[in-house]
């Protein structure tokens, strides 16, 4: 009977059987003529390998797919037992017995066969063959090539594990742990979660750092490394060995064995191994190196390299996050220029020192240090020179102090020194603080050689002891600051201790500052005017003077107000208000015809205001906005302003002159400057200080000075105003010497605006003798 004829006689379940049938279908074979049936099945086209045996597991039938899949030779198969062919997976010791037992219990036995190189996987099923009476007459082994499926499953499993590993690393990177702890935990997580890389359970992570301007790798995390490797690889230069080369070239470096020429580290007893060294990079900057150990002869795979680069990217996130946090923390606590603690860090340490001193009944000291005339250096030589001086000052302070003491920079040229737990006797602590302060003064007063300049700077030092009527760190610092200002007022380059009376002064200054801010915000400042009169008694000018009221309507001392305004920076907005208000009033008076005789109005300009770079543009803007005649505006600057400034003052004055504004020098003769510099200044008016005018007719020295000043002014073509004139005799003397303009109580005290306008109308009404 032919196969086709036989097929037509088979039942539907058999005649419908194709080569794509499932393995389960082979396990439920119908019982017909077994030889014909098996021949039919085995000769049908199929991707399955089929081998039929008798009850003794001797091969009776097989198909071509079995020969191909198991690589069996046709002549060697028939009649032989399956255990004689290792490629069928049943010749391994115990495997055949295991199959027999499973068949008896389950009626089926499944096993997977792998090739030697693990490149081919075959899934096998052994099941029984039964006759029509359901008697077991043999066995059928079916095999299917599942290599592709296994590879896909392995890839999916690996991908899931990789993502799990990366997810764990990412979670670690977001933790609040230190960078060392983060990298150690990450290294352990890597080695415990990626077994497919066939790694040795060893690894190390380095961080990049500079050591003496040299790029280095510092070991910060390791896993199961012996002490020899830890010592040898504690620090690795860029370019040295596998790790250093990976860092220098910024690329993954693989070596299969430690005998590779690129593996520079060699020592007796070193076991052979390979390496993956992976750079940890952020924005082309090397942050570190991840190095994993491999068994010798490990094969390099691109998939491994790709995954390890992803690992390194996650590590870079964690490292850079911690570096950024550390940088922000450092910036929040330390000065960027000098690397000293800043105000925030100082106050934290002062809090601790104050609490400890109170608890242990000890005393400490705080020194507030300000550099005298430091601004002159910045203005004349530039901020680069000033910055180098500040850095040198910080070094000198550190070298003087004990390790337990603290030196901080508050900003600008202000430094604070904290001496902790100096002693238990206040007098002894004060003596020790005095000695330290003297050392500081002497050290900071030594010459500074900066960029070819030999510079001399002196410090003013204020000292406050604690705890001593100071409940918190802010009060301690304020007291030291107050003492420092006392040192400034006493001539600079000296040391002053805080006294209780200083606190009263400090409180008064604080109240004045609050009043100044209130007056500025509510437009409560007032201008008073003191007339300037010629020899005929005619009002030819006036000086406008600021009056500072408090919230009770009382006027504060002007000198204190100006001093507080200067130190707090309020002088700039206040000075602008004075300039604009004076120009508005002058314009109104002239337009109304009241001030026909008024030739000028003098407006005092503070040194800080005069030295602002936009001062000329401010004056120009005010003149344009108010419409005042600039020729009637006189800006008064003090002699000390010119002494404390540089040649920029001359260019500023020249620019003001181009606007039409005139310039007067006030308090002349009270400074320490040479008279020769007057020849270089574009001045219009010279005001002789009241200290020389007072009693000039009876004081020969004052008379000589006044006479010399007038002669010099006439030679320079300057107008002269004598201040502080109080008696007729002083007037007569000054007239005799050629002075033509006078200002003082002999004619009038400073007047409110309404009183001044009345005086303009009738000067004789308010003359007081």
């Amino acid at each position: 009977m032919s196969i086709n004829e036989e097929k037509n006689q088979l039942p539907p379940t058999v005649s419908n059987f194709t080569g794509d049938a499932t393995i389960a279908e082979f396990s439920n074979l119908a019982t017909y003529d077994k030889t014909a049936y098996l021949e039919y099945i085995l000769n049908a086209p199929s991707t399955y390998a089929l081998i039929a045996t008798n009850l003794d597991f001797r091969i009776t039938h097989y198909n071509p797919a079995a020969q191909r899949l198991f690589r069996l030779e046709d002549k060697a198969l028939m009649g032989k037992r399956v255990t004689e062919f290792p490629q069928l997976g049943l010749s391994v010791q115990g495997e055949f017995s295991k199959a027999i037992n499973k068949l008896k219990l389950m009626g089926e036995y499944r096993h997977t066969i792998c090739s030697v190189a693990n490149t081919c996987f075959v899934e096998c099923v052994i099941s029984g063959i039964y006759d029509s009476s359901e008697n077991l007459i043999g066995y059928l082994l079916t095999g299917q090539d599942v290599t592709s499926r296994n590879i896909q499953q392995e890839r999916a499993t690996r991908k899931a594990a990789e993502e799990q590993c990366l997810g764990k690393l990412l979670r670690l990177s977001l933790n609040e742990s230190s960078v060392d702890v983060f990298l150690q935990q990450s290294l352990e997580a890597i080695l415990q979660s990626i077994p497919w890389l066939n790694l040795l359970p060893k690894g190390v992570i380095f961080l990049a750092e500079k050591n003496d301007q040299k790029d280095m790798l510092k070991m910060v995390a390791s896993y199961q490394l012996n002490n020899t490797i830890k010592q040898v690889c504690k620090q690795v230069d860029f370019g040295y060995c596998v790790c250093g080369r990976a860092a220098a070239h910024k690329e993954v470096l693989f070596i299969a064995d430690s005998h590779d020429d690129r593996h520079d580290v060699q020592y007796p007893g070193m076991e052979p191994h390979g390496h993956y060294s992976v750079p940890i990079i952020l924005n082309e900057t090397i942050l570190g190196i991840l190095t994993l150990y491999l068994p010798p002869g490990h094969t390099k795979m691109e998939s491994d390299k790709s995954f390890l680069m992803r690992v390194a990217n996650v590590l870079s996130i964690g490292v850079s996050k911690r570096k950024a946090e550390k940088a922000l923390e450092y910036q929040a606590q330390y000065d960027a220029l000098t690397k000293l603690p800043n105000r925030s860090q100082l106050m934290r340490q002062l809090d601790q020192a104050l609490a400890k001193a109170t608890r242990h009944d000890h005393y400490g000291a705080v020194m507030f240090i300000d550099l005298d005339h430091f601004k002159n250096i910045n203005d004349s030589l530039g901020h680069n020179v000033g910055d180098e001086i500040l850095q040198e000052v910080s070094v000198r302070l550190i070298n003087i102090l004990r390790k337990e003491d603290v030196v901080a920079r508050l900003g600008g040229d202000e430094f604070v020194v904290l001496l902790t737990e100096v002693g238990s006797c206040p007098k002894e602590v004060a003596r020790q603080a005095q000695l330290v302060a003297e050392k500081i003064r002497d050290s900071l007063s030594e010459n500074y050689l900066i960029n070819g300049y030999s510079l001399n700077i002196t410090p003013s030092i204020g000292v406050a002891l604690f705890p001593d009527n100071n409940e918190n760190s802010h009060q301690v610092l304020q007291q030291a600051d107050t003492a420092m200002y006392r040192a400034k007022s006493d001539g600079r380059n000296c040391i002053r201790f805080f006294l209780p009376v200083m606190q009263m002064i400090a409180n008064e200054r604080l109240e004045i500052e609050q009043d100044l801010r209130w007056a500025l915000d509510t437009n409560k400042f007032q201008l008073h005017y003191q007339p300037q009169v010629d020899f005929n008694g005619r009002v030819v000018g006036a000086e406008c003077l600021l009056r500072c009221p408090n919230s009770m309507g009382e006027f504060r001392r002007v000198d204190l107000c100006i001093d507080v305004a200067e130190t707090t920076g309020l002088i700039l907005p206040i000075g602008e208000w004075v300039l604009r208000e004076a120009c508005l009033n002058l314009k109104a008076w002239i337009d109304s015809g009241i001030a026909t005789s008024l030739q000028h109005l003098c407006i005092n300009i503070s040194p800080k205001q005069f030295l602002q770079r936009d001062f000329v543009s401010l004056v120009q803007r005010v003149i344009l906005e108010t419409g005042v005649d600039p020729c009637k505006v006189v800006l008064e600057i003090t002699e000390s302003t010119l002494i404390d400034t540089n040649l920029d003052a001359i260019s500023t004055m020249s620019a003001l002159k181009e606007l039409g504004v005139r310039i007067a020098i006030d308090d002349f003769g009270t400074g320490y400057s040479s008279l020769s510099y007057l020849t270089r200044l574009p001045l219009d008016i010279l005001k002789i200080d009241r200290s020389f005018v007072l009693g000039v007719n009876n004081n020969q020295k004052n008379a000589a000075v006044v006479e010399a000043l007038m002669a010099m002014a006439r030679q320079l073509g300057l107008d002269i105003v004598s201040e502080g004139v109080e008696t007729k005799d002083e007037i007569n003397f000054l007239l005799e010497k050629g002075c033509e303009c006078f200002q003082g109580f002999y004619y009038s005290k400073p007047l409110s605006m309404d009183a001044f306008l009345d005086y303009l109308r009738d000067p004789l009404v308010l003359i007081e003798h």
Side-chain angles (χ1 to χ4, degrees), residues 326-362:
K326 188 174 182 179
L328 289 174
E329 183 180 352
Y330 184 88
Q331 292 172 9
Q333 298 185 38
Y334 292 89
D335 173 56
L337 177 64
T338 63
K339 313 305 180 187
L340 296 176
N342 60 12
R343 179 184 289 271
S344 175
Q345 176 73 349
L346 170 70
M347 298 310 290
R348 186 179 296 109
Q349 297 199 42
L350 184 51
D351 283 337
Q352 296 172 357
L354 183 59
K356 193 173 182 180
T358 302
R359 185 167 58 251
H360 295 163
D361 198 22
H362 281 142

Side-chain angles (χ1 to χ4, degrees), residues 196-472:
W196 61 86
L197 284 180
N198 194 26
L199 300 172
L200 293 174
K202 295 180 180 181
V204 62
I205 297 180
F206 299 90
L207 281 184
E209 63 177 20
K210 279 195 179 293
N211 189 348
D212 295 330
Q213 303 304 312
K214 187 177 182 181
D215 290 324
M216 303 281 292
L217 293 174
K218 177 184 177 183
M219 183 186 295
V220 294
S222 63
Y223 190 76
Q224 293 191 9
L225 296 186
N226 61 45
N227 291 331
T228 302
I229 296 178
K230 287 182 180 180
Q231 284 300 117
V232 171
C233 299
K234 188 176 182 180
Q235 280 192 327
V236 177
D237 292 352
F238 272 36
Y240 178 76
C241 202
V242 186
C243 307
R245 285 184 170 89
H249 298 291
K250 299 181 182 179
E251 61 182 20
V252 179
L253 188 58
F254 167 83
I255 63 168
D257 195 278
S258 51
H259 294 301
D260 190 294
D261 291 341
R262 294 167 294 179
H263 198 285
D264 297 316
V265 174
Q266 300 288 335
Y267 59 89
M270 183 174 72
E271 297 180 358
H273 61 272
H275 279 309
Y276 270 121
S277 284
V278 189
I280 303 170
I281 301 176
L282 179 70
N283 298 330
E284 298 301 318
T285 299
I286 287 287
L287 300 181
I289 294 292
L290 164 66
T291 294
L292 301 176
Y293 283 62
L294 308 169
H298 182 92
T299 303
K300 176 183 178 182
M301 297 183 66
E302 287 300 317
S303 58
D304 295 345
K305 175 182 174 181
S306 176
F307 170 67
L308 291 176
M309 290 175 67
R310 293 180 66 193
V311 167
N313 287 339
V314 177
L315 294 180
S316 74
I317 293 173
V319 172
S320 60
K321 169 181 176 289
R322 285 159 176 81
K323 282 182 174 290
E325 289 172 348
K326 188 174 182 179
L328 289 174
E329 183 180 352
Y330 184 88
Q331 292 172 9
Q333 298 185 38
Y334 292 89
D335 173 56
L337 177 64
T338 63
K339 313 305 180 187
L340 296 176
N342 60 12
R343 179 184 289 271
S344 175
Q345 176 73 349
L346 170 70
M347 298 310 290
R348 186 179 296 109
Q349 297 199 42
L350 184 51
D351 283 337
Q352 296 172 357
L354 183 59
K356 193 173 182 180
T358 302
R359 185 167 58 251
H360 295 163
D361 198 22
H362 281 142
Y363 287 86
V366 168
M367 300 179 184
F368 203 111
I369 304 168
D370 185 270
L371 305 181
D372 301 329
H373 301 299
F374 180 75
K375 185 178 184 303
N376 293 351
I377 292 177
N378 274 339
D379 291 342
S380 59
L381 301 179
H383 287 274
N384 289 338
V385 173
D387 288 348
E388 290 197 41
I389 288 177
L390 294 175
Q391 290 172 328
E392 177 63 24
V393 167
S394 68
V395 171
R396 294 185 187 186
L397 289 173
I398 291 172
N399 290 337
I400 290 171
L401 300 174
R402 305 172 299 175
K403 289 184 178 180
E404 59 266 34
D405 297 329
V406 178
V407 55
R409 181 189 177 211
L410 299 193
D413 59 336
E414 295 179 338
F415 294 83
V416 171
V417 168
L418 169 61
L419 307 179
T420 59
E421 295 194 88
V422 181
S424 57
C425 174
K427 289 184 178 180
E428 179 59 24
V429 172
R431 191 184 72 83
Q432 290 293 333
Q434 176 75 28
L435 293 175
V436 174
E438 289 174 357
K439 288 181 180 179
I440 291 174
R441 181 185 60 187
D442 294 343
S443 177
L444 299 189
S445 298
E446 293 178 2
N447 279 5
Y448 297 79
L449 298 176
I450 308 292
N451 293 347
Y453 297 102
S454 178
L455 304 172
N456 181 262
I457 295 178
T458 58
S460 295
I461 304 176
V463 185
L465 304 185
F466 66 87
D468 182 27
N469 295 322
N470 36 38
E471 298 178 356
N472 57 56

Side-chain angles (χ1 to χ4, degrees), residues 710-731:
M710 287 185 178
M712 181 186 61
R714 283 194 296 270
Q715 290 294 324
L716 296 174
L718 303 179
D719 294 332
I720 300 174
V721 177
S722 295
E723 295 184 299
V725 178
E726 295 185 0
T727 66
K728 183 64 175 176
D729 290 338
E730 292 169 353
I731 293 289

Side-chain angles (χ1 to χ4, degrees), residues 676-693:
S676 63
Y677 79 93
L678 279 180
T679 61
R680 296 182 289 117
L681 299 177
L683 297 171
D684 297 283
I685 300 173
L686 181 66
K687 298 187 74 175
I688 300 176
D689 188 68
R690 63 186 300 174
S691 62
F692 296 114
V693 173

Side-chain angles (χ1 to χ4, degrees), residues 538-662:
R538 185 178 56 142
V539 179
V540 294
E543 179 181 358
C544 63
L545 301 164
L546 180 67
R547 292 295 180 261
C548 308
N550 59 21
S551 56
M552 303 299 292
E554 301 168 342
F555 288 124
R556 291 281 191 180
R557 279 177 50 189
V558 176
D559 58 340
L560 279 178
C561 290
I562 296 300
D563 184 45
V564 171
E566 288 275 4
T567 57
T568 60
L570 287 171
I571 195 65
L572 297 180
I574 292 174
E576 183 175 347
W577 181 90
V578 170
L579 179 63
R580 181 172 281 101
E581 187 73 9
C583 289
L584 283 171
N585 290 341
L586 178 58
K587 170 67 172 170
W589 299 339
I590 293 173
D591 289 348
S592 65
I594 298 175
T596 55
S597 65
L598 207 62
Q599 298 174 8
H600 61 259
L601 181 64
C602 294
I603 304 169
N604 289 291
I605 303 299
S606 77
K608 184 170 289 189
Q609 186 180 17
F610 179 77
L611 295 174
Q612 294 298 304
R613 294 188 176 183
D614 63 345
F615 178 65
V616 175
S617 61
L618 169 64
V619 174
Q620 183 179 29
R621 185 171 66 251
V622 170
I623 289 174
L624 291 174
E625 291 174 357
T626 60
V628 71
D629 181 359
C631 295
K632 292 185 177 294
V633 176
V634 175
L635 301 183
E636 286 193 16
I637 57 177
T638 61
E639 182 182 8
S640 60
T641 302
L642 301 176
I643 295 172
D644 292 340
T645 58
N646 51 38
L647 293 177
D648 287 343
I650 297 177
S651 61
T652 300
M653 295 167 69
S654 298
L656 292 170
K657 294 278 287 183
E658 290 179 5
L659 298 178
V661 173
R662 291 193 288 167

Side-chain angles (χ1 to χ4, degrees), residues 11-25:
T13 56
V14 176
S15 62
N16 293 336
F17 179 81
T18 66
D20 294 325
T22 63
I23 292 175
E25 290 176 299

